[in-house]
Amino acid sequence: MTDHTQQKYRFSEAPIWELQRQYYEEKGLHAWNNDQVPQYITSNPMIGTAYAEIIFGFLQDRAAKGEVSDPVLIVELGAGAGRLASHILHTLDGLREDAAIVLPPYRYVMTDLAVKNVEGWRRHAVLQPYIEQGVLDFAVFDAVGDEEIRLTESQTVIRPGDLKQPMLVVANYFFCGIPQELLYIGEGQVYECDVLVERPERSDSLSTSEELQRITLQYENRPAPEYEADSYPYREVIDLYKKELEDSHVLFPELGLRCLERLNRLSKAGFLLITADKGDHRLDNWRFAEPPELIYHGSFSLTANYHAFQYTFEQRGGLALFTPHHYKNLNVGCIFMLENPNSYTNARLAHRRFVQRFGPDDFFSLKSWVDERITTMGLQPILAFWRLGGYDAEFFIQSAKRISSLLAEANDEELLDLQLGIQTMWSSYYVMEQGYNLALDIGIVLFEMNSYETARHYLELALREEEEPDALILYCLAICHLELGSAGEAKSCLQRALELEPGHEEALELLSCLE
């Protein structure tokens, strides 16, 4: 029988948060391997494009105000695997080049609490050109208390009041994973929900993730007059909850609000927050809310209270934009904490076009529907959806077998569009340690299209990515070499393939013909 210990904490000080922190510090970038911690929904090319368009609109708005000399700092909180930053920077590059207009310079700063993540980004091959251009930097940043940002590449320290331009803050799946307060509103009173934490005795056999999942939580309410005191900085939203809510458990993002206020002090001109999360900005969605449930995925997450952010900053003169329709998986919003926020026309229009009309949440819902039907789709619908998603590598991997099965009936235009899509996809592909080899899937599709020279390039890349040589790759490479007039190279590949798989009939037959 396992011994358990039980102790009472404030919800924001419960040991689950320290374990959460420990999980990311231990795992580093491996936390996102094969979607152990979800990253696709907030890091695909579609959402990267939406964010880049809003940022580009903001840069245009600053240029229209004559502010083109000082750089704009774009700070991503909890940049995680790094894919989102890569997609944003890639798209911004294209927008800036195509527009050919005068814009203020910008610097994108990827931040995280885990030092391993920062070191991993600094070494990532795809990010090196941006580092060399001076548009990308990194920082270890603790949302709980840090008041300055120390950049690793430029060796610059950004302190309160240093920035002349407004700061752009990007926060994806961030507020749902940092400590929050838990309040209970009932009979016009505010209670704090203390949490009784029951956890097994620490065992060397338990990983941090396993320990998190074995913890059980129980809640006890106690009166919390401190939230109603005149000195409490968020009393206005608390008063609203007392008036409008009944028998409701509310996750209150005090730490998230204080984090944004500290970031706001770095600039003399305010900030624009671009954020996406499992988060409700409608007060009605918090009515009669039950105690929260932890959603486990290696670490854990909760629902973010976007209503508290929206109400607090709008009461201080800001502007919050969320979709008028209800979200399903991902709520995407912008908060303009700026002087005359309505004057930022281009940024607001970008949110309207790329979030409200059809945004990242709509795309994810549609992709879930497409994933279940990919085996019945024709090549044209596959190509159309692939374009819609910004030539997403994950979708290509999921549809590669179906594409191969349709190549025999494809016309020349479809084949050319497929090659163009592959080129575009590869140009912005952000490599992660996942259980697939994108270069191999590309190489096989191109091989089946008889595009031997291009197929050879990707198959050679795929061979280098494999921990052990693969007979199939070597056999396909042999045919590519043969079609391109390199019989010696073909023979060498076949011999290597047969060393790995002596019974490979096609390789035996082809080698016999060559000899």
Side-chain angles (χ1 to χ4, degrees), residues 369-379 381-382 402-403 405-406:
W369 184 88
V370 168
D371 288 346
E372 296 175 355
R373 293 161 177 81
I374 191 68
T375 57
T376 63
M377 291 174 65
L379 190 54
I382 289 175
R402 178 60 178 169
I403 291 172
S405 71
L406 297 169

Side-chain angles (χ1 to χ4, degrees), residues 52-302:
E53 292 282 359
I54 295 170
I55 293 170
F56 186 71
F58 177 84
L59 296 175
Q60 289 176 287
D61 290 327
R62 293 303 294 173
K65 296 175 183 293
E67 301 289 346
V68 294
S69 300
D70 296 304
V72 172
L73 199 70
I74 308 166
V75 176
E76 183 180 355
L77 301 175
R83 282 186 68 192
L84 178 66
S86 177
H87 287 312
I88 290 174
L89 288 166
H90 179 80
T91 305
L92 269 178
D93 255 4
L95 290 170
R96 184 175 57 177
E97 183 177 345
D98 290 346
I101 57 177
V102 177
L103 296 171
Y106 58 83
R107 176 181 289 171
Y108 198 103
V109 180
M110 299 168 66
T111 76
D112 210 304
L113 178 63
V115 176
K116 286 183 179 180
N117 289 354
V118 176
E119 292 303 318
W121 302 329
R122 296 180 72 190
R123 294 190 300 267
H124 201 289
V126 172
L127 300 179
Q128 297 310 305
Y130 303 115
I131 298 173
E132 293 166 5
Q133 294 167 27
V135 299
L136 178 62
D137 217 316
F138 313 97
V140 175
F141 182 77
D142 187 347
V144 173
D146 283 354
E147 297 185 354
E148 57 188 28
I149 301 176
R150 296 179 173 272
L151 304 181
T152 62
E153 307 309 298
S154 62
Q155 297 294 302
T156 302
V157 181
I158 301 169
R159 296 184 173 90
D162 280 354
L163 303 178
K164 297 180 181 179
Q165 294 271 28
M167 178 187 290
L168 274 161
V169 181
V170 175
N172 268 17
Y173 263 31
F174 178 75
F175 296 117
C176 70
I178 62 174
Q180 304 180 52
E181 308 302 334
L182 180 58
L183 307 180
Y184 175 76
I185 310 297
E187 299 180 352
Q189 299 297 316
V190 181
Y191 300 85
E192 185 152 24
C193 295
D194 290 331
V195 58
L196 287 167
V197 178
E198 186 174 289
R199 58 195 295 188
E201 293 291 340
R202 289 299 301 268
S203 169
D204 293 339
S205 62
L206 288 181
S207 67
T208 304
S209 179
E210 290 170 336
E211 187 175 359
L212 267 172
Q213 295 188 48
R214 294 193 184 189
I215 284 178
T216 59
L217 307 178
Q218 294 178 320
Y219 301 101
E220 288 186 358
N221 300 334
R222 61 173 169 82
E226 61 270 24
Y227 289 96
E228 303 175 68
D230 291 339
S231 59
Y232 187 63
Y234 312 112
R235 181 179 173 180
E236 288 182 329
V237 68
I238 296 297
D239 287 344
L240 178 69
Y241 291 166
K242 285 171 54 182
K243 179 181 177 182
E244 297 291 337
L245 299 181
E246 179 61 38
D247 190 21
S248 302
H249 294 81
V250 179
L251 286 162
F252 193 74
E254 181 174 323
L255 189 150
L257 288 165
R258 291 185 183 276
C259 174
L260 290 176
E261 289 177 347
R262 280 184 276 108
L263 290 173
N264 188 37
R265 288 195 284 271
L266 299 178
S267 171
K268 300 175 181 178
F271 69 86
L272 166 59
L273 170 68
I274 309 173
T275 183
D277 221 316
K278 299 176 300 179
D280 290 320
H281 66 279
R282 292 178 172 86
L283 184 59
D284 283 347
N285 290 343
W286 292 98
R287 297 185 192 278
F288 305 107
E290 297 290 331
E293 292 186 11
L294 275 60
I295 307 301
Y296 294 103
H297 35 63
S299 58
F300 72 90
S301 61
L302 296 162

